[in-house]
Structures are given as C-alpha cells and as structure tokens.
Amino acid sequence: MSQTKETSPPSTTREPRQIDALIVGAGFGGMFMLHRLRGLGLTCQVVEAGTGVGGTWYWNRYPGARCDTESMQYSYSFSPELQQEWSWTERYAPQPEILRYANHVADRFDLRRDIRFETRVVSAHFDANANRWTVTTDKGDRISARYCVMATGCLSNARLPDIKGRDSFQGATYHTGHWPHEGVDLSGKRVGVIGTGSSAIQAIPVIAEAAAHLFVFQRTPNYSIPARNGPMTREYEHTWKADYEQRRAQARMTRNGILANFNDQSALEVPETTRRRNYESRWVTGGTTFMASYNDLITSKAANDTAAEFVREQIRALVKDAKVAELLAPKDYPIGTKRICADTLYFETYNRDNVTLVDLRSSPIEEITATGIRTADHSTDLDAIVFATGFDAMTGTLLKIDIRGRDGAKLSDKWEAGPRTYLGLMCAEFPNMFMITGPGSPSVLSNMMVSIEQHVDWITDCLAHMGSRQMSVIEPTQKAEDDWVAHVNEVASKTLYPSAASWYMGANIPGKPRVFMPYIGGVGRYRKHCEEVAAKGYEGFMMAGGRSVAA
Ligand code: NA7
C-alpha cells in the first residue's frame, strides 16, 4: 500500500492538526474503520461524543435493552481469532454484554489511543484547493484530514417529542437512548412510558417488574414476535464456531445479512393449513426472522395480511382483557413495514395488575404537567416519565454537523428533500467523505454488523486502490448519484414499506421529507453491486490525483 503518511503535532488554534483520515464515531463502524485504515498505514483520528466506545450500545442502556439479531451473528467476522475467543452468554445478547464486547475489541486492537472521547464534531468543510477536510469540534480542535469517514450511526440522534409542557414536569424524565449510566431505580414509582417501538417493547416488561404502577402511552401498536431468548448453549455456540467462516460468508449474501430459515415460497401458494403450521413453528422458534416465513410478505398485501392476522391472533390469545388486546393488535399498516420487534413477555405484561395501557388514538396527549400527563379525557399522576420516542433516524446525526462540500455546498441543502447518495457511501459535491451504512444502503434493514463490515472493507479497498494509483480525490458523479437514488426509490416503491408512517420514511419527525431511506434491494445483491462497481474501476466515481477533481 503506497499511501503517504501524514501526521503533525496536536492542534493549536491557528494550525489544524494534519492527519490522513478523520473518523466520526467510535461505534462498531468507527472502530473497525480505524483498525482497517491503520492497516493501510494511514494516520487516523476518531472523534467520539461518549466517554467510551460502543455507539448505540454505549447510549441505549435502558432496562431490557438487547440486540434482536442473534449473538452468534451480531459480532465482527473480520478476525477469526476474535470470533473464536469471544463467548456470548445468551441467544440475544443484552446491552451490557455487547458493550463489554465493544470494549474488548477496543483493547484487543489497541484502538483507544486514536480515539478522542467526550468530543463532538461540529463542522466539516472541504477545501477544494487543498483537497482536505477541515473538521472542528466542540472542544476547539481543528483537524485537517484528507478523508472524512462518517461512522455516525443510523439511530444516534435521540428525539424528544414537542409535547406542550414537556419541560414543566417536576418528576424524573428519561429517554431510552440516553439512559443514565448509573442505572435508575424505578421501584415503588408511578412510571409513564411514552411510545411502543422496539425500545419500549423491551423496556416495558422490565420496568413493570419494578414500578408500583406503569402507564404505557400508546399511539401506534407494534407487531412483536417473542424473542425466545435463553442462555447460550455450548452445543449451539460450537455448531457456529466449527463452521464460522462459511456461515459468515453465506450470511453476507442473504437478503438482510442474517442466516435464517428463509422460505423462498409465496405465502399464497401454499394451503392455509401449511401456512399456519409454518407461522406457528416460527412463533415458537421466535425472533424477527418470522418475516422470512415467505418471500412475498413485504411485497404482497394479501400475503402480508396472512402473517399480520396470525400475529394479531397471538396477541388476542396472550392478553386477557379483550379490549386491551384489541388496542395492542396493529391493524392499519402491514407487518414488517415498521421495524418488527422481538420481545420477552411484552404482551403478557398487560395482564399485570400494575400495568395500564393508555390509548392515545382515542385520547391524545394534550399536555405534560408538573405532576404527570394529561390526555384528552384523563390526567395521570406520575413520578417518572420515560420517553421511548425514538430517533431522527439515518440523517439526523449527519445533519446536526455543519457539513460543506465543494464550493461551500451544504449537506443540509442537498438533502432538503430527502437524502441523496451514491450507494449510501458517498455524495456528489462532497469529495473524500464516506458514510458507513448511510442512507441508500441496506443499513437498518440488515444485520448492522454485516453491513458495517462490508462498507468498511469497501472504503478500505477504495483508498488502497487510490493510493496505488497516486489518486487523492474521489467523488461520485451526479449521474451515478441520481441513478442510484432513482433505483433506491423504485425498489422501495415495489414493496409495502412506503405505506407505513415509519422512521424508515422519516415520518416520525414533523416536517422531515417522506422518503424511504434505506436500500431494500437486499444485502447480498447490494454487496455484489458494490463489488462490481469497484471491479469496473469504481464506476460512477471520479478520481483525480493532485489538487482538484475533474468536473
Ligand atoms: P421508534 O421505533 O421510533 O418508536 C418510537 C415510539 O414512540 C413509537 O411508538 C411512536 O409512536 C412513539 N412516539 C413518538 N412520538 C410520540 C408522541 N409525541 N406521542 C406519543 N407517542 C410518540 O423508536 P425505538 O427507540 O423504539 O426504536 C428505534 C429503533 O432502534 C428500532 O427500530 C430498532 O431498530 C432499534 P408512532 O409509531 O410514531 O405513532
């Protein structure tokens, strides 16, 4: 690898520190990017807002937080030694264990010495004369880098809803995505949870165990499949580890980066009894791979209806109060078009005497008061409010940074009508800025670990390619970007996804453009396409040496 190595002493207010690559974020994306770019001999700096590594798993410490992809598959595959030596204790790893794993990786690969913690990137401006990014932080650093890699995560900008009186509440308030590190003792308290997305569905059963009374404020019910979590058995671990390389390779070519029992049949081509048996067996096995029951659950409304109705039936069977069960059974959007959840005793929790479901559809929240939450027809006194209200997903964190490309072009202007990228990796007018699992890539529709590794490896190969040809600047052509955006939209429009008001569509943020942000074409297909782009000499990208990009 023939990249020239650049480094200089720490920044002063006048002279920015000169490095090769700045990486924003020390989650799983940023950590692996650092490791790979070091391998190319580049000088790197990671800037991370938290006090430690782990990204999502650093911030989301709410009770019950755990991964809904199986542990054996939600881990790095790049190091055979790492994947053999690490042991998970449960089928679905809890947040503290994933955070321990992230820390283990940081130690094992000596990553911390290039990570600046408790620091936020405020701006990143491209200087076309020098072909460098100048990055500033909230600690006053100025860093000049040839490459800027945004490993900022897809769900990292926690969102508090603008509810009247929100800040007047005198009790304690928490957001699931910013849970206090020291934990929270909710025992004996009257607790309100706003929201019933994945975070709430994991937290509610655990909070209900502790609280004196739990009130769940639900606007939209969610489809959730029992996770059937349990201890990791040595046999199960061994079947994976004995065959890890091959299983990982297979997973990379699947639809969503997960080796699951995918059934490539239409739900409508089998008799009802067969279909039912299949759904029942997957319900018993548990997990979000329920959506792999048939190949058309996300493209055919009639097929989807069969799965949705099956889940509604299970909810009705689990929840004793028929009225509550009806409120918990989603009916107005197809299953899977909002992120499907995996739970542990979620629906059963509503059978407890100390849990009350408050239906915001019939009686919306009017105000948060000093003492609790007032809906149109009732006031509930509370000691604590938990906002499980989600994130400004996929674009929110990037747009909080003042990012300016060539000729001062602002990313916020470029993305005003929705994110525009080529392959979810780069944007026209923003040379040498890469995104890991950016909008327009499979990202949140996939096993994030698989997608992170694919992007990091692709970026690494790309920089190695550039280095070996004395190229210093890369940027997608406008046409390649336009064509990719059109393709992303076209593929999404053939599915049921756009019919739901989901965060995939930006629908949870008032005023955010309604655009389906991730790429639904499939992890394997997408990977193949990215590989072909590279094999064709980085088709759709302009590369230049020297000081400027050819127009
Ligand atoms: P989600 O899935 O965005 O869920 C947020 C929940 O909060 C959802 O039920 C929302 O209802 C609800 N919400 C948001 N604003 C309000 C207001 N103003 N009033 C009442 N209810 C509200 O976030 P999560 O953190 O659960 O999960 C995010 C992802 O993290 C998840 O998909 C996994 O990939 C990991 P709505 O549906 O908008 O009616």
Side-chain angles (χ1 to χ4, degrees), residues 10-26:
S11 68
T12 66
T13 43
R14 260 165 283 139
E15 282 303 313
R17 183 180 168 214
Q18 306 281 321
I19 56 168
D20 292 318
L22 182 102
I23 300 162
V24 188

Side-chain angles (χ1 to χ4, degrees), residues 155 159 161 163 176 194-200 219-220 338-339 360 365 388-391 503 508:
L155 294 156
R159 176 185 164 266
I163 298 173
T176 47
I194 302 179
T196 46
S198 298
S199 302
R219 191 162 67 182
T220 312
K338 279 176 161 236
R339 180 70 143 74
L360 300 180
I365 295 179
T389 45
F391 302 86
W503 56 256
N508 63 329

Side-chain angles (χ1 to χ4, degrees), residues 246-445:
Q246 205 192 318
R247 286 179 180 222
R248 298 288 205 179
Q250 277 171 9
R252 289 182 197 118
M253 296 317 293
T254 59
R255 202 156 72 158
N256 56 6
I258 301 172
L259 263 195
N261 187 8
F262 182 76
N263 181 2
D264 201 11
Q265 274 185 306
S266 161
L268 305 176
E269 77 183 52
V270 295
E272 205 204 321
T273 45
T274 309
R275 198 164 57 218
R276 208 180 162 77
R277 259 201 317 276
N278 185 16
Y279 288 147
E280 274 165 0
S281 118
R282 285 171 187 261
W283 184 266
V284 170
T285 308
T288 58
T289 53
F290 181 82
M291 289 305 291
S293 300
Y294 292 102
N295 67 9
D296 53 354
L297 294 185
I298 222 60
T299 49
S300 154
K301 178 70 168 57
N304 188 287
D305 283 345
T306 64
E309 186 49 33
F310 175 83
V311 173
R312 284 191 287 269
E313 277 174 30
Q314 308 313 304
I315 297 170
R316 289 178 189 121
L318 288 170
V319 180
K320 288 187 188 139
D321 182 321
K323 269 198 210 139
V324 175
E326 262 342 287
L327 290 173
L328 287 168
K331 296 179 196 80
D332 57 3
Y333 63 95
I335 185 169
T337 54
K338 279 176 161 236
R339 180 70 143 74
I340 194 162
C341 304
D343 69 274
T344 299
L345 304 177
Y346 173 66
F347 294 112
E348 294 87 332
T349 297
Y350 292 91
N351 295 332
R352 295 175 66 109
D353 292 338
N354 71 332
V355 175
T356 303
L357 181 66
V358 181
D359 173 33
L360 300 180
R361 288 258 168 105
S362 59
S363 177
I365 295 179
E366 295 205 325
E367 192 181 3
I368 294 180
T369 65
T371 56
I373 294 176
R374 186 166 61 76
T375 61
D377 63 11
H378 193 73
S379 283
T380 307
D381 283 341
L382 298 167
D383 301 310
I385 298 177
V386 174
F387 291 93
T389 45
F391 302 86
D392 184 351
M394 304 210 68
T395 56
T397 304
L398 280 174
L399 293 179
K400 266 198 341 202
I401 304 172
D402 174 18
I403 300 176
R404 300 190 196 189
R406 262 194 297 117
D407 303 323
K410 290 185 182 173
L411 189 68
S412 53
D413 289 342
K414 183 185 172 85
W415 285 8
E416 202 174 4
R420 303 185 66 78
T421 70
Y422 180 37
L423 303 173
L425 277 161
M426 292 194 87
C427 299
E429 294 180 287
F430 294 81
N432 290 6
M433 185 186 90
F434 297 90
M435 288 164 285
I436 297 178
T437 64
S441 72
S443 59
V444 290
L445 297 176

Side-chain angles (χ1 to χ4, degrees), residues 6 31 52 73 89-91 103 109 250 312 436 456 471-472 518 546:
E6 292 185 25
M31 289 201 294
Q73 305 202 49
T89 62
E90 296 180 50
R91 179 179 175 194
N103 278 288
F109 297 96
Q250 277 171 9
R312 284 191 287 269
I436 297 178
V456 168
M471 294 291 170
S472 53

Side-chain angles (χ1 to χ4, degrees), residues 77-99:
S77 69
F78 72 87
S79 159
E81 299 78 23
L82 172 68
Q83 73 180 4
Q84 288 297 333
E85 78 197 9
W86 183 265
S87 284
W88 298 100
T89 62
E90 296 180 50
R91 179 179 175 194
Y92 295 98
Q95 172 272 331
E97 188 166 319
I98 304 175
L99 191 58

